């Protein structure tokens, strides 16, 4: 092969390769879903390639035409876009921008590359447009999910916290207040349980929509979870004052909310308010405090608003502390029974003893039942505590009976929660039988509140117990409904007249008259009376004069330990 022939073959081979490369490049570009512009500066020649028609309805000839693309881009993204396609002005070799197209709402990624020639003069430029709508919408959705609550479209808790943080930082420099308002639908569980979760969700949505009307530059409205919403108000005043917002919410809840199936649902709401900087300067604390006072308002009767104050917080923290300790105390049974004697008013003989529980805390000493019984009732721990009270009191009582053989009875306080238990009657009778106690030596005390919630069930149980021989005593008479007419229908033997009556009876003529008529009536009903909280001789004398049967109080004997009761029985 001569030299010449060799050169020709080589050229042909190279041409063939070039042609193949070009063919391949052309195929790649043509099958691409992107649009390309190639521009050569020397020739001032522009060529479009790829899926250009899918993006633009004009074609390019000169580089100046590229600026027409700008009309496709949303106003908001134009600066960024221009910087990208005119990258040579900043001497860049590569630039990217993601922009939104006006008409089509497409998200388009624009990527530009430059090749510079001698003395860095622009030589060639390629710009690629790629549709990234699917990816970008997904990102937007993720962003949305990070900030908003899917059900109501309001801000979620996390985003609320970050907005509130901004408010507080601003308020610190501008010396303003910020109100955090916690809003919760009353008895929402009833809606969910009664009408189903879908209706529940609709109510949450509709109420959220109503709340969103308050949203502005200075009011953030958010939905936490379930039926809980939280608002933050920067520099509350006028139409953004807490009072105004609350009254608007209240007015709205006086009208029913409509559901999609045409039902009308009435809701009430309870709110708690904590103000920066008064309640706290800390974002999370403010939210917590607003919730705590909201819960407090629920406890006090719902459909209301409660403002934070330091007393409420310490009470709440105290309760929380006690609640935690109570669980430990039950585990170790750190309780002790005290017994307060009751005497017959006329003879002065011992009538019986009332069992009163005490909690021995290693740190705080004796904790009074008024401090923990309501909590124990709320969290259900009253059931094991109450069973222990019954068992311990009866055990002690039987020991005294055996040791001293004196006739007196044992009174035990039973909470409403205990009476409501299915197994209450059975367990009590089992315990009585286990210790061989005479049922007529036992008196159970019950309060009116225990009857109110579950009148039929509780009175039926009382009847069974009474038929078995146990006495029933109505405690704290005069503090509740205290209707004399219904006493007739109750299966009770004894009426305990509350300390508040005894306290005022000597000072107030009206109480005096009431007390005397109660005594007369009660006698006619065949009930025995015990006056509670008798502290003075005058009170005792008066009670005797109106024929009150028995007295119990500090005057005749405080609640005391088992050892003290033994001494008392020993005389
Ligand atoms: P209660 O059943 O009305 O008990 C009488 C309360 O009045 C007792 O308070 C007693 O110490 C107090 N007291 C008695 N005489 C006087 C007096 O002359 N002056 C004054 N100022 N107070 C007097 P305590 O022991 O603190 O019990 C408070 C309440 O806790 C009880 O009121 C009762 O409702 C509840 N409780 C106590 N022990 C038990 C229990 O074992 N089970 C249940 N369920 N509740 C209990
Ligand atoms: Ca009592
Ligand atoms: Ca009482």
């Amino acid at each position: 092969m001569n030299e010449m022939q060799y050169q020709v073959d080589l050229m042909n081979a190279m041409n063939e390769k070039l042609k193949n490369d070009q063919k391949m490049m052309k195929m790649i570009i043509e099958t691409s879903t992107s649009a390309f512009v190639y521009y050569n500066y020397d020739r001032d020649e522009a060529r479009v390639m790829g899926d250009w028609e899918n993006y633009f309805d004009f074609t390019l000839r000169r580089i100046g035409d590229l600026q027409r693309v700008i009309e496709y881009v949303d106003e908001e993204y134009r600066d960024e876009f221009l910087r990208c396609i005119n990258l040579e002005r900043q001497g860049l070799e590569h630039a990217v921008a993601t922009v939104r197209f006006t008409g089509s709402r497409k998200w388009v990624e624009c990527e530009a590359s430059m090749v510079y020639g001698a003395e860095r003069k622009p030589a060639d430029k390629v710009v690629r447009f790629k549709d990234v709508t699917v990816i970008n919408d997904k990102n937007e959705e993720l962003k949305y999910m990070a900030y908003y609550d899917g059900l109501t479209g309001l801000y979620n808790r996390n985003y609320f916290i970050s907005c509130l943080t901004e408010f507080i930082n601003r308020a610190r420099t501008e010396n303003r207040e910020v109100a955090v308002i916690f809003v919760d639908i009353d008895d929402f569980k009833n809606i969910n349980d009664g009408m189903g979760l879908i209706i529940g969700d609709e109510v949450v949505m509709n109420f959220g929509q109503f709340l969103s009307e308050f949203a502005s530059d200075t009011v953030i409205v958010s939905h936490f979870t379930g039926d809980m919403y939280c608002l933050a108000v920067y520099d509350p005043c006028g139409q953004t004052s807490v009072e105004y917002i609350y009254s608007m919410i209240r007015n709205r809840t006086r009208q029913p909310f409509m559901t999609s199936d045409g039902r009308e649902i009435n809701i009430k709401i309870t709110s708690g308010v904590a103000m920066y900087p008064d309640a706290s300067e800390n974002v999370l604390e403010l939210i917590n405090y607003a919730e705590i006072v909201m819960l407090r308002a629920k406890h006090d009767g719902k459909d209301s608003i409660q403002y934070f104050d330091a007393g409420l917080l310490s009470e709440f923290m105290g309760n929380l502390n006690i609640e935690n300790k109570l669980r430990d105390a039950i585990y170790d049974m750190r309780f002790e029974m005290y017994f307060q004697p009751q005497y017959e008013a006329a003879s002065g003989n011992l009538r019986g003893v009332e069992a009163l529980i005490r909690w021995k805390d290693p740190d705080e000493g004796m904790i009074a039942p008024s401090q923990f019984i309501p909590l124990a009732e709320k969290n259900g721990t009253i059931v094991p505590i109450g069973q222990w009270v019954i068992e311990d009191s009866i055990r002690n009582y039987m020991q005294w009976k055996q040791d001293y053989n004196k006739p007196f009875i044992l009174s035990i306080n039973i909470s409403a929660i205990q009476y409501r238990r299915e197994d209450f009657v059975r367990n009590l009778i089992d315990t009585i039988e286990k210790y061989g106690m005479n049922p007529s030596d036992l008196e159970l005390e019950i309060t009116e509140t225990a009857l109110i919630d579950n009148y039929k069930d509780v009175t039926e149980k009382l009847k069974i117990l009474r038929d078995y021989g146990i006495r029933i005593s109505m405690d704290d008479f005069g503090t509740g409904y205290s209707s004399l007419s219904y006493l007739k229908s109750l299966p009770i033997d004894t009426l305990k007249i509350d300390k508040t009556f005894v306290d005022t009876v000597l000072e107030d003529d009206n109480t005096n008259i009431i007390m005397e008529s109660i005594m007369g009536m009660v006698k006619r009903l065949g009930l025995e009376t015990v006056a509670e909280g008798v502290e003075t001789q005058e009170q005792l004398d008066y009670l005797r004069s109106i024929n009150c049967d028995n007295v119990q109080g500090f005057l005749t004997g405080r609640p005391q330990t088992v050892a003290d009761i033994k001494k008392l029985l020993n005389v």
Side-chain angles (χ1 to χ4, degrees), residues 36 41 81 98 200 241 290 310 371 386 390 401 423 454 502 551:
F36 297 86
Y41 280 75
F81 178 70
T98 303
S241 70
Q371 271 194 62
I390 292 170
K401 271 269 149 162
D423 53 3
N454 231 337
V502 177
V551 292

Side-chain angles (χ1 to χ4, degrees), residues 302-460:
K302 306 179 184 169
D303 192 20
S304 60
I305 187 164
Q306 172 79 54
Y307 291 80
F308 175 87
D309 75 62
L312 279 181
L313 183 68
S314 60
E315 184 194 309
F316 181 85
M317 297 315 264
N319 281 351
L320 214 64
N321 188 21
I322 289 189
E323 222 171 322
N324 287 333
K325 284 183 154 196
L326 190 58
R327 289 176 208 279
D328 294 343
I330 290 162
Y331 193 75
D332 300 333
M333 272 303 155
R334 289 199 204 113
F335 301 102
E336 185 176 345
M337 292 315 296
Y338 274 47
F339 298 88
Q340 185 176 29
Q342 304 170 333
Y343 293 94
E344 292 170 8
S347 67
N349 290 338
L350 184 69
R351 180 228 184 213
V353 292
E354 177 178 5
L356 294 162
I357 193 170
R358 299 291 179 264
W359 168 10
K360 300 169 293 178
D361 184 71
D363 311 322
E364 323 218 350
M366 286 292 184
I367 301 177
S370 54
Q371 271 194 62
F372 69 90
I373 294 285
L375 282 177
E377 286 179 331
K378 215 169 72 188
N379 67 21
T381 47
I382 189 67
V383 175
I385 295 175
Q387 184 53 39
W388 179 84
V389 166
I390 292 170
E391 182 107 20
D392 194 71
S393 307
I394 292 181
R395 192 176 47 78
N396 276 306
Y397 175 83
M398 291 309 288
Q399 191 64 50
W400 298 327
K401 271 269 149 162
Q402 194 189 321
D403 293 349
Y404 306 100
N405 193 27
K406 294 217 165 118
F408 68 102
I409 65 167
L410 171 69
S411 288
I412 301 180
N413 293 287
I414 307 288
S415 142
I417 315 290
Q418 291 172 272
Y419 279 115
R420 254 178 252 160
R421 296 275 303 192
E422 204 57 64
D423 53 3
F424 174 70
V425 172
R426 188 70 260 152
N427 284 348
L428 180 71
I429 292 177
D430 282 353
T431 312
I432 290 173
E433 285 173 357
K434 175 172 152 194
Y435 289 95
M437 185 183 197
N438 182 352
S440 62
D441 285 340
L442 181 64
E443 184 173 68
L444 300 184
E445 301 198 359
I446 182 167
T447 57
E448 279 170 306
T449 39
L451 285 167
I452 290 161
D453 291 345
N454 231 337
Y455 184 86
K456 196 162 167 284
D457 175 53
V458 176
T459 47
E460 267 164 22

Side-chain angles (χ1 to χ4, degrees), residues 354 413 445 447 475-477 496-499 532 552:
E354 177 178 5
N413 293 287
E445 301 198 359
T447 57
D475 203 356
D476 302 340
F477 185 78
K496 291 192 83 173
I497 295 152
D498 194 71
K499 182 176 186 314
E532 288 191 283
Q552 174 182 351

